[in-house]
Amino acid sequence: MAAFDAGDARSFFERLFRAYRVHDPERPEGLFTGYYEPEVEGSRTRTETFHVPVYRRPPDLVSFHDRAAEETGLAYGRLVSGKAQPYLSRREIEAGALAGQGLEIVWLRDWADAFFIHIQGSARVHLAEGGTLRLSYAAKSGLPYTGIGTILVRQGVLPEDAMSMQAIRRWMAAHPREARELMWENKSFVFFRDAALEDQALGALGAQHVQLTPRRSLAVDRALWMFGMPVWLDTLAPSGQGNRMTHIRQLLVAQDTGSAIKGLARGDVFWGFGDEAAHIAGPMKSAGLMTVLLPVAVAGELGLPI
């Protein structure tokens, strides 16, 4: 196989792509956050220690189209006596609405672990029986996503400039009863599948159905952007060492999406797995510039200058 160097790469992109700076009139400064693959402990069987279920997609969760979507304002839900209805809320599911159907994939230690796996969309579960289980996103309930960090800021519990996943988890650990009520405010619920993934150095499957690459895969608004699109980011990210920020200027590829990723200049960087990835992804919330690289043919069809 012929060697491929930086000059070849530059020539490839200059010949076949055109770069366009993204301007979002609703968010001119852009917004770029981070996500990662959590690592938690769990068990294939329920025990006193591991009692929090992670569910696979239930058979009565269906996609809504046309009239049903218009009537409910939702993309997913269930049919009750032939009528489209919203799916069960997080509170209803965690109260046992899906119990007894054999949908449990694995059992975790606490509700906060399960909640943040839902937020991140994947996980590595180190099993009490031995080995590691890889969880990948399978479906969501369709009910609207509510950011619990926003609620804590609005209530004056945590200051906005100190908001991060780590800050939320510390508050949850100190207030377990209130934490359950807070998590229920996010009615959206995520279902998973046990994924046999080939490359353990890569992340879970993204929405493009390829394994995510740490620091190179980007989640975008699927309603606005296509998967596989190269994206140049110029933004800031935590260094993982205290509060120091580092400049990020690099090429990523749009390979994933998420409920909270909405807007033109909006991206979520996949940082990998482990403690270092968590400490970078958790507090990342930066303004920045986003430049998309469109194939020349696509740019021409859109009437863009080439």
Side-chain angles (χ1 to χ4, degrees), residues 197-226:
L197 301 176
E198 294 183 2
D199 193 334
Q200 297 304 306
L202 298 179
L205 293 176
Q208 196 185 12
H209 303 296
V210 297
Q211 282 189 259
L212 301 174
T213 301
R215 302 172 181 253
R216 293 295 177 180
S217 293
L218 184 71
V220 295
D221 188 338
R222 186 66 178 93
L224 300 172
W225 300 112
M226 56 189 174

Side-chain angles (χ1 to χ4, degrees), residues 45-123:
T45 57
R46 180 171 182 167
T47 67
E48 185 175 342
T49 300
F50 299 108
H51 61 280
V52 176
V54 174
Y55 291 110
R56 60 178 50 87
R57 179 174 182 158
D60 62 340
L61 175 64
V62 298
S63 299
F64 288 156
H65 300 285
D66 303 330
R67 184 176 177 181
E70 184 177 346
E71 289 176 351
T72 62
L74 301 171
Y76 304 93
R78 58 179 177 160
L79 298 175
V80 179
S81 300
K83 183 175 177 58
Q85 298 285 339
Y87 203 72
L88 300 165
S89 69
R90 174 177 299 276
R91 184 168 192 158
E92 290 170 324
I93 293 172
E94 292 187 354
L98 295 179
Q101 299 184 37
L103 298 173
E104 297 88 354
I105 301 175
V106 70
W107 302 84
L108 306 181
R109 190 183 299 273
D110 63 54
W111 294 104
D113 280 346
F115 184 83
F116 283 101
I117 286 173
H118 286 210
I119 300 299
Q120 303 300 325
S122 65

Side-chain angles (χ1 to χ4, degrees), residues 194-276:
D194 181 345
L197 301 176
E198 294 183 2
D199 193 334
Q200 297 304 306
L202 298 179
L205 293 176
Q208 196 185 12
H209 303 296
V210 297
Q211 282 189 259
L212 301 174
T213 301
R215 302 172 181 253
R216 293 295 177 180
S217 293
L218 184 71
V220 295
D221 188 338
R222 186 66 178 93
L224 300 172
W225 300 112
M226 56 189 174
F227 290 143
M229 177 183 64
V231 178
W232 180 269
L233 281 192
D234 186 341
T235 187
L236 295 172
S239 65
Q241 304 171 9
N243 296 322
R244 189 168 64 84
M245 302 293 283
T246 183
H247 221 124
I248 302 297
R249 295 187 182 94
Q250 68 181 50
L251 190 69
L252 297 93
V253 178
Q255 296 181 314
D256 206 4
T257 191
S259 300
I261 312 305
K262 302 295 182 185
L264 284 166
R266 177 73 174 94
D268 205 20
V269 179
F270 177 69
W271 288 99
F273 59 94
D275 290 342
E276 182 181 1

Side-chain angles (χ1 to χ4, degrees), residues 171-184:
W171 181 88
M172 285 181 164
H175 305 85
R177 187 174 64 180
E178 294 91 337
R180 290 300 306 282
E181 294 283 347
L182 177 66
M183 288 185 279
W184 289 334

